[in-house]
Amino acid sequence: MIRFIENLIRSAINDTVDKAITRAIRDQYTENLFEMMPTTQKVGLTNLMEIAMRANQGTPISRPLGSPIHMSPWEKILFNPCHLFRFPTPENVGIHTPVTIGHRAKKPLTISIPIMIAAMSFGGALSKSAKIALARAATAVGTATNSGEAGLLEEERDAAQLFIGQYNRGGWMNEPDKYRRLDAIEIQLGQGAQGSAPQRTTAKNIGVDYREVFGLKKGEDAWIHSRLPGVQSKEDFIRLVRRLRDETGVPVGLKIAATHHLEKELAIAVEAEVDFVTLDGAEGGTHGGSPTLQDDVGLPTLFAISRAMEFFAKKGVIRDINLIATGGLVTPGQMLKAIALGADAVYIGTAALMAMVSEQMVKAVPFEPPTSLIVYTGKMTDRLDIDQAVMNLVRYLNACVHEMEQVAMTLGKTALTDITKSDLCTLDPFLAKATGIPLGTVSPEHQDRFFEEVTPWFQPEQHSVPEKENIHPH
């Protein structure tokens, strides 16, 4: 009987497939379902779905977790192990991992590992349970977590031993009774996934606990403005930095989206004597933002780090201003390469959330996405096991640090902060030229000769084209 049913099913499938193939071959292409195949290849599956979403909604769509485009070519950079010219670090020697942020502040912030939890706000992004879990995990490994653009969530503050709060464009953390309770203040002027564009959370998505933390009235929308309230000039910004430092004594820093205007932005930060700068590359995540802002705005994280460090070196402030890198860093190797390029520490967001959910995603899939367990508007936030989420993230962070330590040992280093650009090589001549990372395809003594020999090919022909604003009609 079973054999009969199997043969029947096989025959039915065979007939169906035969008819489908025959019809696909005989139908005119314009009437052929197969036309979806080249169309999807041309447009891309993600773009095809987002076209349909825009057509259905008529408004900018909100894509979660940032751009899927990999803009920073981290895979083209490798670490250089050593054997004899410098010996590897013995296995009985510990690797130093702590980092101090804000050396000039009265109360510097010292973290045990160079990985921190990125800015992800309560309400605007995550649920209260998720924020508590992130704070507890950060505390367990001796690192800091970030409030995101939100008010002061008491449960998060209580769970976080080291808490960085954002003085933000919504104004929700900008009162003395709130920012004086922080271990560091990050003035948020933008983020990698959205630049400095304004953001709005409508009142229908704002619950009672959200309103209380943000100080909103019933029915009031939550707005993140394009400009920070009270800062309409660089002088305003400089005064704000100095006032916050004088009032609190904690490190005061700046967070911006990485941009081709980077050096001009950093010049003002240097003048303001900020304690740290957080650069959020174009690959940065977000709770939700338009695909155009995510895919087509900003500067990739890798190049932002390299340019910032070159600028800080030129200004002689490398020891005075810490650089924190964030935006699309999802593996320990990428994080450590960012540190080697000059970052003192990194923030992780998407990776932390995925680690936190881990095997708990089975509670949501296949009918809901895993993020429904952790985002504020998620349908399954009550099913997140906080203790399990904390344990998952702690294990993930420990694993990341251990892998970084393994690399440090094969480089012959005893501290993660000792790893520099000289410990890297790249297989891409364009990347070598842009960042100063040695080119791995030729020996060190032949680097200059290589670039001299390939200069006619390597450098595109320069044309004298006037700037747009210099073109005048005759």
Side-chain angles (χ1 to χ4, degrees), residues 9 80 110 135 157 166 175 194 219 275 280 288 332 338 370 429 441:
I9 293 173
N80 308 321
T110 298
R157 173 65 275 198
Q166 287 192 336
E175 298 299 322
Q194 302 198 22
D275 294 298
D280 196 2
T441 54

Side-chain angles (χ1 to χ4, degrees), residues 391-442:
M391 185 180 300
N392 288 343
L393 184 51
V394 167
R395 287 191 297 226
Y396 171 77
L397 291 169
N398 285 334
C400 286
V401 174
H402 287 326
E403 290 185 37
M404 294 167 127
E405 291 173 335
Q406 288 176 332
V407 175
M409 295 178 76
T410 196
L411 300 179
K413 302 298 177 76
T414 58
L416 297 183
T417 52
D418 291 340
I419 300 174
T420 66
K421 194 183 296 185
S422 64
D423 295 301
L424 303 173
C425 70
T426 178
L427 307 181
D428 187 327
F430 289 94
L431 197 55
K433 200 71 173 174
T435 63
I437 298 172
L439 183 63
T441 54
V442 295

Side-chain angles (χ1 to χ4, degrees), residues 68 125 136 360-361 367 389 395:
R136 284 178 53 188
Q360 291 197 64
M361 69 175 66
F367 301 111
R395 287 191 297 226

Side-chain angles (χ1 to χ4, degrees), residues 300-345:
T301 305
L302 190 158
F303 301 105
I305 298 169
S306 178
R307 284 175 56 173
M309 289 310 299
E310 185 176 343
F311 182 79
F312 285 166
K314 180 180 177 181
K315 293 296 182 180
V317 295
I318 286 181
R319 296 183 180 276
D320 298 327
I321 300 178
N322 293 103
L323 179 64
I324 302 173
T326 186
L329 301 172
V330 296
T331 72
Q334 292 173 354
M335 299 172 205
L336 192 57
K337 288 170 187 176
I339 292 170
L341 286 174
D344 293 285

Side-chain angles (χ1 to χ4, degrees), residues 151-162:
L152 188 66
L153 178 63
E154 290 293 341
E155 293 89 339
E156 181 182 23
R157 173 65 275 198
D158 292 342
Q161 182 180 2
L162 301 174

Side-chain angles (χ1 to χ4, degrees), residues 99-111 157 161-164 176 178-185 243-253 275-276 322:
V99 174
T100 296
I101 297 169
H103 299 279
R104 297 182 295 183
K106 293 178 183 177
K107 295 181 279 187
L109 174 68
T110 298
I111 52 180
R157 173 65 275 198
Q161 182 180 2
L162 301 174
F163 190 49
I164 300 173
K178 296 177 181 177
Y179 65 68
R180 285 177 179 169
R181 296 176 60 192
L182 304 174
D183 298 299
I185 299 173
R243 175 172 66 80
L244 292 175
R245 184 191 297 112
D246 291 342
E247 284 187 32
T248 65
V250 302
V252 177
D275 294 298
F276 64 93
N322 293 103

